[in-house]
Amino acid sequence: MPARHPRRPPAAPAVAPAPVIAPAPAAVLAVLALLLGLALPLCAAGPARAAEPEWTAGPAGPPGAPARPFFYLEGAPGAVLEDRLALSNPTGRERAITLRGADAYNAEGGALAVRPARESSGAGRWVSFGAHATVKVPPRSRAVVPFTVTVPPDAVPGDHPVALVAAEPGREAGVRVHLRVSGPTLAALTVEDVSVGGRGAAAEVRYALVNRGNTALAPQLEIRADGLFGGVEGRPARRLPVELLPGQRVVLTEPWPGAPVFDAVDLTLTVTAPGGARATATASARFVPRGVAGWTGAGLLLAVAALTAHRLAGRGRGRGPGRGRAAPAEPPAPPAPPVREHELTGASK
C-alpha cells in the first residue's frame, strides 16, 4: 500500500516589508516646501501673514507728551508760524518720503480731502519745508522735520484749511492743520435744495449746507414735520458728522424712519452751529400707498372714459337718423320792397 504523506497547509501569501522613510536631506525639504508654497494658492489659502506696519506722519511733540491729532496755528497777516512734523518708520527698509502743503476741502458727503499739488492755490502754498521737502527715514526709526507757514500780509481773517501731505510711491498720508488768521470772524450758513425720497422706514431727507462765513462749522440738524392728520415724527436735534469748511457746499441725506404712510407733510429743517449760525428751510412731501395710488389712477381713467363716451353719444343723438349727411339749404327769402324815406325840406305845406 503506498505510503500516504500528511497534507501540508497552504503557504501564507508573502507580505512585503513596510517601507522605511528615511529623513530627507535639507535640500529635498526645501524643494518640497517651495512646491507646496506654489500649489497653495491653487487649492486652499493658508494662514494670512501679518501685514507689515506702515510708516506714519503726525505732529511732533516732546517725549512722553500726549500725541496731538492735528496742528493748530494762528497768527496775524504777515506772521511766520513754525512747527514740526514727525515721520515714524517701523518697517525694515529705508523710506524716501516727500512733503508738501495742500488746500483742504469738503469732498462729497462732507468728508475732508486734500487737493493735488497742481490745484492748491490757497493756504497750502503758504507751507514750506525748506531743504527737507524729501526726507529719507532709516528702518525702525523716526525723523522730525520742521516746517513754516508764512501768512501773506493781505490774508483774509478766519479759518484757512490746510493739510501736510507725506507721500511715497503707493502711499500717501495727510495731517490736518487748523490755520486761523487773526481778525474778525463770522459764522453763517444756509440750507438749500431740500427734498424727500423713499417710503416708510426707507424715507430720507436730502439737503445742501453752504458755509457762508469765514470759520469752520460743526452743524446740528433738527427736522420738524406737520401733517394733515396730526403730528408726524420728525428728527430731534443732533450733531452732524461733518466739519463744514468756509466757502464749502456739501449735499447730505438724513434718514427719516418716522415718515407717514399716507399723509401730506410740511417739513422744516433747522440747522445751527456754534458762533450764532442758524438757518431754516422748508419742503413739502406727499405720501400715498402704492395700492391707493393705483386705484386712484384707475378711477380717474374710468371717469375720463365715461365722460368721453357720454359726449360722443350726445353728439350722435343730436344728428338724428340722417346723421352723416348735410341738411338741404333753405331757399333765400324774397327781398323786401324798398321803403321810401320822407324828405325833410323844412317847408310847410
Side-chain angles (χ1 to χ4, degrees), residues 246-328:
Q248 297 292 300
R249 182 182 191 272
V250 298
V251 178
L252 305 174
T253 57
E254 181 72 14
W256 187 21
V261 177
F262 182 72
D263 204 347
V265 182
D266 292 329
L267 295 177
T268 302
L269 276 65
T270 302
V271 181
T272 58
R278 178 184 176 86
T280 60
T282 59
S284 298
R286 302 293 180 263
F287 297 92
V288 179
R290 296 184 185 275
V292 175
W295 282 109
T296 303
L300 290 175
L301 289 177
L302 290 175
V304 171
L307 180 60
T308 303
H310 177 73
R311 290 182 176 178
L312 292 177
R315 291 179 181 177
R317 288 193 299 270
R319 290 177 180 175
R323 61 180 179 272
R325 293 176 300 183

